[in-house]
Amino acid sequence: MSKPIYILNGPNLNRLGTREPQIYGSTTLAEVEVLCRQAADGREVIFRQSNREYELVDWIHEAIDEGAAIVINPAAYSFTSIAILDALKMFPGPIVELHISNIHQREPHYHKSYVSLAATAVIAGLGPQGYAVAVRAAIDLASR
């Protein structure tokens, strides 16, 4: 059996659907999970969300040992977390960084992502549907 795809979500993404819908839309995180599982087409998915940086680092460590690929929407930690960057740099497989909004059209503090330094690919601005694109890309990259 193949290794799972880890889909990790950072702070405040548990509030999708109600948090700034003009930026993030009305799709909930539960609906995003369904999109991801559909895009995985039967491949095992481990889907998680945390507002805690250390928990995301622990899950990345788990993925180092058990995962085929990581799709990560680190949210605000994209721009602040050297700890997440350092953990991702240890991951041997593909990493797809995902942002619901186009971070490059937003305020300047959203333009520099530490996570991008470790990412194999970056997807931004496709809305919640970007998750499905990211999962398919991660599976494709992992199978190469």
Side-chain angles (χ1 to χ4, degrees):
M1 176 172 264
S2 61
K3 294 180 174 184
I5 305 300
Y6 278 71
I7 303 169
L8 305 178
N9 296 280
N12 300 310
L13 290 167
N14 57 309
R15 305 296 296 169
L16 280 180
T18 58
R19 175 186 178 222
E20 298 180 277
Q22 71 279 11
I23 295 173
Y24 301 108
S26 60
T27 303
T28 67
L29 192 61
E31 292 168 326
V32 166
E33 182 175 0
V34 170
L35 289 172
C36 290
R37 292 187 185 286
Q38 289 171 342
D41 198 29
R43 179 108 183 220
E44 183 182 0
V45 166
I46 295 175
F47 189 94
R48 296 180 176 153
Q49 185 279 328
S50 182
N51 296 318
R52 298 171 193 89
E53 182 180 35
Y54 77 87
E55 197 161 34
L56 290 162
V57 170
D58 285 347
W59 292 337
I60 294 165
H61 290 174
E62 180 182 312
I64 290 166
D65 298 329
E66 300 177 17
I70 295 173
V71 172
I72 184 166
N73 183 344
Y77 291 137
S78 307
F79 318 105
T80 63
S81 182
I82 301 291
I84 289 174
L85 168 62
D86 285 348
L88 288 169
K89 286 170 34 181
M90 291 184 271
F91 185 72
I95 300 164
V96 180
E97 177 184 3
L98 169 72
H99 298 280
I100 293 170
S101 67
N102 182 346
I103 60 174
H104 303 289
Q105 288 183 334
R106 299 190 60 197
E107 299 88 344
H109 57 272
Y110 291 116
H111 295 179
K112 173 85 168 97
S113 168
Y114 287 111
V115 171
S116 293
L117 298 172
T120 309
V122 179
I123 296 169
L126 296 179
Q129 285 298 324
Y131 277 89
V133 173
V135 168
R136 287 191 293 271
I139 290 169
D140 180 58
L141 289 165
S143 67
R144 291 184 188 175

